[in-house]
C-alpha cells in the first residue's frame, strides 16, 4: 500500500478510535440503566425524593381530622345535660394525635425509601426500553397499590394501641386507664358511687330545708342529715340507684356517639358503643376487672378493624391503582423523547460498530504495511487517543462540571446528573489509560522490529501457537527480548551480537529495515 494511503488510513483510524472511546464510555454509563440506578442510589436520590414527597403529603393530608371522632361537647343535652348521669362525653382531647407513631413516622413507613426506589427504577427500565427501541410507546407510571398496602399495614398496627382519649372517645382516657390498672378501675367505681351519694345527700338536705322555716347553714344541714338518715340507709339508696344510673349512662353514651358518627364513621358506632357500655357497667359495679378487660379488648379489636376498613374504602375511592405520568407529558416533551430515542439508538449502534471499524482499519493497516511500521503507526494512534481521552475525562469533565454548577442554578436532583457526567469522565479516563498502555506496547514492539530485537516470524508463530493452544503455553514460549535466552522451537539457534536471527527470518528482518 502506498505511503499516502497508509497515512490516510491512519488518520481515519485515529478519528474512529477517538469516537469509539467516547461513545463506549457513554454507553457504559449514561446509556446503561443499571449504572444509572446505582448512581441514583449512591447519590441518595431515592432518600431525598422520599423526604420531599413525604413533606408535600404532610402539608396536604389532614390525618388528625381523618382519625379523630367528633364527640359531643361537654354539658350538651346529648351527653346527659345537667340532670343526667355523670357521663363524661367531652372531646377536649380529640385534637391530639391518637397514635404512638407521629404523622411523619406514619408517612415514612407508608412512602418508604424502598417503595420510592422500586417505582423510580421501574420507570427507569421503562424509559430505557423506549429509548432503546424495545417498546414503541413511552409509558411511565406510579403503582400506588404498594403504598396503600404499606399504609393499611401500619394503620392496623397503630390502631391496636390507639389512644381512645386522644381519638375523642367519651371517657376514652378512663376506659384505657381502667383496663391497664385495676386500682384505677376501683377508684373509678368509688368515684361513681360518690357522685351518686352526693346527689342523694343533696336531695336529703333539700328535703330537710323545706321542712325548716329558717335557712340552715351547710354544717347544720350535714348534722341534720346524719341525725335523720342512717349510713346503711344511704348505702341502700346508692345500691338502688346504681342500676338506674348504669342504664341511663349506657343510653346517653350510645346516643352521644350515634349523634356524631355519621357517614363512613358510622362503622365505628358498634365498637365504640361497646366500649361505652363496658365502661358504664364497670363504674356501676356490674362487671369485675377481668370481665371489663375482656370486653374492652374485644371492642378495641373491632374498633381497629372498622378504622382500617374505613381507611381502605377511602383510599380505594380517592386514589387510583396507578398514576399515569406519561399523560402529564406535553407534546414538546414527547417530541424531545422521540429525538432522544433516535439518538440513543444511534449511540448504541455506534458503541458496537465503531470499535469493530477501528479493529478493521487496524487490520488493513497491518496487512498493507510492514510489521514495524504498522505497530508504530497503530501504537502512536492508540497512544494519542488515550492521552486525549485521559485529559478530556479528567480535566475536561471537571471544568465542565465547575462551569455548570457556577453558571446554572441546579436543583437538588441535579446531583444525579452531575454524578452521571462525572461517571462518563471516569469511564473515559479508564479506557484511555488502557489505550495508552496498548499504544506504548505497540510502539515498543515496532521499535523492536525495526532494530531487529524482535523476530517477526517467531512473533507470528508464537501468536498462532497461543491462539491454537488457547493460551495454555507458558511464558517461556514467548520471543527473545535480547537477553540471550533461547525460546520457542528455534532453541538450537545460536545467540549473536544481541540479535537472534533464525534461518528463515533474516530476509524478513532485512526487508523490515529496508522499509523503515
Amino acid at each position: 500500500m502506498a505511503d499516502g494511503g497508509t497515512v490516510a488510513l491512519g488518520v481515519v483510524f485515529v478519528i474512529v478510535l477517538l469516537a469509539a472511546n467516547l461513545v463506549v464510555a457513554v454507553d457504559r454509563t449514561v446509556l446503561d440503566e443499571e449504572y444509572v440506578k446505582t448512581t441514583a442510589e449512591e447519590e441518595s436520590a431515592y432518600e431525598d425524593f422520599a423526604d420531599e414527597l413525604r413533606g408535600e403529603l404532610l402539608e396536604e393530608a389532614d390525618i388528625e381530622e381523618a382519625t379523630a371522632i367528633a364527640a359531643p361537647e361537654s354539658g350538651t343535652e346529648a351527653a346527659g345535660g345537667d340532670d343526667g348521669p355523670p357521663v363524661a362525653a367531652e372531646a377536649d382531647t380529640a385534637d391530639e394525635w391518637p397514635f404512638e407513631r407521629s404523622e411523619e413516622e406514619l408517612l415514612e413507613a407508608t412512602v418508604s425509601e424502598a417503595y420510592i426506589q422500586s417505582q423510580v427504577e421501574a420507570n427507569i427500565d421503562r424509559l430505557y426500553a423506549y429509548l432503546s427501541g424495545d417498546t414503541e410507546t413511552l409509558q411511565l407510571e406510579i403503582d400506588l397499590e404498594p403504598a396503600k398496602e404499606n399504609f393499611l399495614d401500619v394503620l392496623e398496627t397503630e390502631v391496636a394501641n390507639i389512644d381512645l382519649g386522644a381519638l375523642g372517645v367519651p371517657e376514652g382516657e378512663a376506659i384505657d386507664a381502667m383496663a391497664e390498672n385495676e386500682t384505677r378501675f376501683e377508684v373509678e367505681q368509688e368515684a361513681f358511687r360518690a357522685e351518686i351519694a352526693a346527689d342523694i345527700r343533696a336531695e336529703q338536705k333539700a328535703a330537710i330545708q323545706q321542712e325548716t322555716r329558717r335557712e340552715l347553714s351547710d354544717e347544720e344541714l350535714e348534722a341534720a342529715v346524719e341525725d335523720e338518715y342512717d349510713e346503711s340507709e344511704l348505702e341502700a339508696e346508692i345500691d338502688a340507684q346504681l342500676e338506674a344510673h348504669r342504664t341511663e349512662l349506657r343510653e346517653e353514651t350510645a346516643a352521644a356517639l350515634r349523634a356524631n358518627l355519621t357517614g363512613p364513621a358510622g362503622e365505628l358506632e358498634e365498637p365504640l358503643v361497646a366500649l361505652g357500655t363496658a365502661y358504664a357497667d364497670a363504674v356501676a359495679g356490674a362487671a369485675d376487672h377481668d370481665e371489663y378487660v375482656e370486653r374492652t379488648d374485644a371492642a378495641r379489636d373491632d374498633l381497629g378493624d372498622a378504622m382500617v376498613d374505613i381507611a381502605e374504602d377511602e383510599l380505594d375511592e380517592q386514589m387510583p391503582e396507578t398514576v399515569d405520568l406519561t399523560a402529564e407529558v406535553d407534546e414538546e416533551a414527547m417530541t424531545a423523547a422521540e429525538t432522544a430515542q433516535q439518538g440513543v439508538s444511534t449511540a448504541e449502534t455506534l458503541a458496537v460498530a465503531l470499535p469493530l471499524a477501528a479493529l478493521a482499519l487496524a487490520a488493513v493497516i497491518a496487512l498493507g504495511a510492514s510489521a514495524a511500521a504498522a505497530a508504530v503507526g497503530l501504537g502512536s494512534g492508540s497512544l494519542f487517543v488515550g492521552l486525549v481521552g485521559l485529559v478530556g475525562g479528567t480535566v475536561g469533565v471537571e471544568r465542565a462540571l465547575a462551569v455548570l454548577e457556577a453558571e446554572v442554578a441546579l436543583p437538588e436532583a441535579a446531583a444525579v446528573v452531575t454524578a452521571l457526567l462525572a461517571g462518563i469522565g471516569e469511564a473515559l479516563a479508564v479506557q484511555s489509560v488502557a489505550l495508552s498502555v496498548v499504544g506504548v506496547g505497540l510502539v515498543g514492539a515496532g521499535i523492536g522490529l525495526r532494530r531487529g530485537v524482535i523476530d517477526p516470524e517467531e512473533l507470528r508463530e508464537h501468536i498462532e501457537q497461543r491462539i491454537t493452544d488457547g493460551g495454555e503455553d507458558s511464558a517461556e514460549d514467548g520471543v527473545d527480548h535480547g537477553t540471550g535466552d533461547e525460546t520457542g522451537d528455534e532453541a538450537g539457534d545460536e545467540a549473536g551480537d544481541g540479535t537472534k536471527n533464525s534461518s528463515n527470518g533474516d530476509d524478513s528482518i532485512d526487508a523490515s529495515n529496508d522499509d523503515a
Side-chain angles (χ1 to χ4, degrees), residues 70-79 89-92 260:
E73 296 181 359
S74 176
T76 61
E77 292 183 2
E90 300 178 9
D92 295 338
N260 292 276

Side-chain angles (χ1 to χ4, degrees), residues 28 42 55 64 71 73 127 225 228 230 285 340-341 395 425 428 452 501 506:
R28 290 175 53 206
E42 291 174 349
E64 282 192 33
E73 296 181 359
L127 175 61
V225 166
E228 183 74 20
D230 187 75
Q341 183 186 44
V395 179
L428 187 60
N501 296 317
D506 295 333

